[in-house]
Amino acid sequence: MKEREPTYIISTTLFIRCLGAIYLTAFLSLWIQIDGLFGSDGIFPASAFLEQMARYYAGHSPFLELPTLAWFGASDTALHVLCGLGVLGSLLLIFGLLPLPMLVLLWSCYLSLFHVGQVFLSFQWDILLLEAGFLAIFIAPLTRSRCFSDFPPPRIALWLLWWLLFRLMFESGIVKLTWNDVGDLSIENVWESLTALEFHYWTQPLPLPTAWYAHQLPGWIQKMSVVFVLAIELLLPFFIILGRRMRRVACGGFIMLMVIIALTGNYNFFNLLTMILAMLLIDDEFWPTRFRDRVVALQHPQWIDWHQSRSYVLVPFTIFAITVGALQMATAISPASEWSRAWADSINPQQWALVNSYGLFRKMTETRPEIVIEGSRDGNRWTEYEFCFKPGRLEEPPHFAAPHQPRIDWQMWFEALRWERVHQATGSVNLRYASQWFLVFLQRLLEGKSAVYDLLCTEEFSQAPPDYVRLSLYQYEFTGREQGDDNAWWQRRLEWMSPTFRVSKTPSGRLEIRPENQ
């Protein structure tokens, strides 16, 4: 007897509800930071950015070139309204009310903030949420989603979500083996040598306390863990096309990997989003009988026809998504070949974030540079600006943040790597090579902008900015097990320190920062 074609109604219903929860955490996390990041007193104000983009796209349609609802208003109030709409839409989606309209609203609001967020929303999980959120529109009921009891999603839309999951996992695996196919071939590929996890736990952006213990594991366990990661990312994606039983195996492997990653590092909502994408591989036969019985009772032909009619709309997009995705994977497999990337970029309107390339942990960082900002009232007693989640004080354990993403802490991790490259090349750090966002961030702190100051967790200069400031570049590393009795989680070594800068204001009120001896 021919096996009945599997259905995925229950997992689709769960996916939509869970996607609402992830949207909720994403909007709430951004909402509490938005004033300091790109509000009117923030680091990169959205209004100034849009004015610049309007001049740049003069003669074109700015909205098509940069699709964001912020064109209708980029004030602090308007940005808060976008976040508020995102929170409201997320709650309605979680409770199954108006799922299709809410998914359209959530995608539109997040895409709008994604563009005006500039460098602060440039992460792979942001584009992953946008791509997954867009595809979810085509599997959602129109007016109501019943718990464990919806109608069959269009199969073509389900396959598009599986295609997204395939690309996410396979590209993340293949780039680990091909990242140095261009450039200096003398640099060892730590994934090929199975040594990537010997330093990953303390060099990752925001480790958890458990990462300290994972770092102490024997070398053979670290090597076996690398094999485990590569096997899941390179082999299990192909299980998606091998039938429902193999899909269940792939789902289990993907979820296991995401849980292990989440146990030692803060990766905001990325792990949760990947897990609910993997959950779409589970067919209805896997779930308890009482849920399956409710699903069968709701399969009315007229509603099924309405849902399946959306498949016709998806045919052109499916051709587009498969073509662009295949070209992106070709680039990941052979980065030295530029033709695939050029073709993908030429046909893919990246401003809409519809089909994206992925590749987490492409190149592992083997050191952990950290930038330390210090302020002083008298030029003698110095106090460090404390960030909420990134390493600072040696005795302070790593903090738990997920699913919240402290975006300034993440940006400081990237900025420190930039400074390290400059230091290695020149033996010093010239602030002219610092990122523009960091220079503005420092300026806002010294101007006493409370919106930016609230991104940190320090009280020393909350009432008035310091009169002196200096910057340092340290190399941080976990302490060893033999050093655990010192109650220190970190050890650090100074690599570079700036001269002392005097902070003052000119008669016109302009902030002036100059070396003290000038």
Side-chain angles (χ1 to χ4, degrees):
M1 180 180 295
K2 184 178 179 180
E3 185 178 8
R4 185 164 58 92
E5 185 176 8
T7 57
Y8 297 84
I9 301 172
I10 297 175
S11 59
T12 300
T13 304
L14 288 172
F15 172 77
I16 292 173
R17 303 291 183 98
C18 293
L19 185 61
I22 290 172
Y23 263 126
L24 179 63
T25 62
F27 278 108
L28 285 175
S29 173
L30 188 57
W31 200 351
I32 62 177
Q33 304 174 80
I34 199 166
D35 288 338
L37 296 177
F38 47 96
S40 58
D41 284 336
I43 300 171
F44 280 164
S47 55
F49 171 70
L50 290 179
E51 290 175 3
Q52 180 184 0
M53 290 298 99
R55 292 192 296 269
Y56 181 79
Y57 292 121
H60 302 274
S61 172
F63 184 83
L64 293 179
E65 298 292 342
L66 195 74
T68 172
L69 296 174
W71 286 115
F72 299 104
S75 65
D76 291 350
T77 300
L79 296 176
H80 283 270
V81 167
L82 285 174
C83 290
L85 287 174
V87 170
L88 176 61
S90 301
L91 291 172
L92 292 175
L93 187 60
I94 291 171
F95 290 105
L97 301 175
L98 301 174
L100 193 152
M102 289 306 101
L103 282 167
V104 173
L105 173 68
L106 291 169
W107 182 80
S108 302
C109 289
Y110 204 78
L111 181 68
S112 299
L113 294 170
F114 169 77
H115 283 301
V116 297
Q118 304 158 79
V119 68
F120 301 112
L121 273 86
S122 60
F123 299 94
Q124 290 197 36
W125 32 88
D126 291 316
I127 60 174
L128 178 62
L129 179 56
L130 285 170
E131 186 170 350
F134 176 77
L135 294 176
I137 293 171
F138 298 97
I139 65 171
L142 178 60
T143 59
R144 185 182 175 191
S145 175
R146 299 170 178 83
C147 192
F148 303 117
S149 54
D150 274 326
F151 306 98
R155 185 55 62 98
I156 191 171
L158 189 61
W159 273 100
L160 281 172
L161 284 160
W162 290 349
W163 175 233
L164 168 59
L165 179 62
F166 180 97
R167 291 185 289 111
L168 171 66
M169 300 306 298
F170 182 74
E171 287 182 35
S172 294
I174 200 65
V175 297
K176 292 178 173 62
L177 303 180
T178 62
W179 67 267
N180 63 345
D181 284 1
V182 293
D184 188 355
L185 299 182
S186 65
I187 300 177
E188 179 187 37
N189 187 324
V190 295
W191 288 104
E192 291 181 350
S193 64
L194 307 183
T195 59
L197 296 183
E198 292 181 2
F199 41 81
H200 161 71
Y201 295 111
W202 54 272
T203 61
Q204 63 179 313
L206 299 179
L208 289 172
T210 48
W212 187 93
Y213 297 96
H215 177 63
Q216 316 302 326
L217 294 174
W220 68 270
I221 294 182
Q222 310 287 18
K223 287 183 169 59
M224 290 300 297
S225 298
V226 173
V227 174
F228 170 78
V229 171
L230 293 176
I232 288 180
E233 293 182 339
L234 293 175
L235 297 180
L236 291 193
F238 293 95
F239 286 21
I240 295 174
I241 61 175
L242 297 180
R244 66 178 185 176
R245 291 180 178 83
M246 300 305 285
R247 290 187 194 116
R248 294 178 186 179
V249 174
C251 173
F254 295 153
I255 290 178
M256 185 187 307
L257 177 61
M258 290 300 108
V259 169
I260 292 174
I261 293 174
L263 285 175
T264 59
N266 286 294
Y267 293 96
N268 46 84
F269 57 79
F270 166 73
N271 306 104
L272 296 173
L273 181 52
T274 305
M275 284 192 280
I276 69 167
L277 282 169
M279 188 174 60
L280 285 170
L281 300 173
I282 299 296
D283 58 279
D284 291 335
E285 292 297 319
F286 174 84
W287 303 101
T289 304
R290 63 181 181 275
F291 296 146
R292 299 203 306 269
D293 291 343
R294 292 180 63 187
V295 167
V296 172
L298 284 171
Q299 292 190 35
H300 301 301
Q302 65 271 28
W303 287 101
I304 294 175
D305 291 342
W306 185 86
H307 279 269
Q308 296 296 342
S309 66
R310 286 184 287 180
S311 300
Y312 299 110
V313 179
L314 278 175
V315 169
F317 180 78
T318 300
I319 298 172
F320 164 77
I322 292 175
T323 302
V324 173
L327 289 170
Q328 290 169 342
M329 283 199 298
T331 303
I333 294 171
S334 180
S337 176
E338 292 293 333
W339 66 269
S340 53
R341 185 186 304 276
W343 272 99
D345 291 343
S346 66
I347 63 177
N348 185 23
Q350 296 180 3
Q351 64 269 33
W352 296 95
L354 298 179
V355 183
N356 307 290
S357 60
Y358 302 95
L360 294 172
F361 304 114
R362 178 190 302 266
K363 184 180 184 300
M364 302 296 284
T365 55
E366 301 183 33
T367 57
R368 185 184 192 90
E370 289 286 355
I371 299 170
V372 173
I373 306 172
E374 296 176 282
S376 174
R377 299 291 184 197
D378 56 11
N380 295 313
R381 178 181 171 272
W382 294 89
T383 302
E384 294 183 12
Y385 281 87
E386 294 184 22
F387 290 76
C388 299
F389 297 97
K390 86 177 189 69
R393 290 185 294 167
L394 304 183
E395 69 279 5
E396 190 76 18
H399 296 282
F400 182 84
H404 168 60
Q405 182 182 358
R407 294 181 182 263
I408 198 71
D409 297 64
W410 272 83
Q411 290 302 135
M412 287 294 291
W413 183 78
F414 287 108
E415 185 67 11
L417 294 173
R418 180 190 185 101
W419 285 30
E420 182 186 46
R421 290 193 296 269
V422 173
H423 184 266
Q424 291 174 346
T426 66
S428 182
V429 178
N430 191 322
L431 292 183
R432 289 180 299 177
Y433 295 102
S435 298
Q436 182 64 26
W437 80 263
F438 178 82
L439 296 176
V440 178
F441 166 63
L442 183 61
Q443 179 181 345
R444 296 286 189 267
L445 283 181
L446 299 178
E447 289 173 344
K449 297 293 186 181
S450 59
V452 176
Y453 191 87
D454 289 343
L455 297 173
L456 309 182
C457 288
T458 187
E459 297 294 333
E460 178 70 20
F461 306 109
S462 59
Q463 301 303 316
D467 297 308
Y468 300 89
V469 67
R470 68 185 184 190
L471 307 171
S472 303
L473 182 67
Y474 285 89
Q475 285 292 344
Y476 273 64
E477 188 174 348
F478 274 153
T479 57
R481 187 178 296 274
E482 68 282 356
Q483 298 167 298
D485 295 336
D486 297 334
N487 295 321
W489 292 79
W490 298 96
Q491 52 187 330
R492 70 183 187 182
R493 182 185 74 256
L494 178 65
E495 287 205 343
W496 172 84
M497 180 177 289
S498 74
T500 298
F501 293 96
R502 177 68 185 246
V503 182
S504 60
K505 286 188 176 180
T506 64
S508 62
R510 186 173 61 86
L511 186 70
E512 187 176 69
I513 306 172
R514 55 184 175 81
E516 186 182 10
N517 57 0
Q518 291 186 11

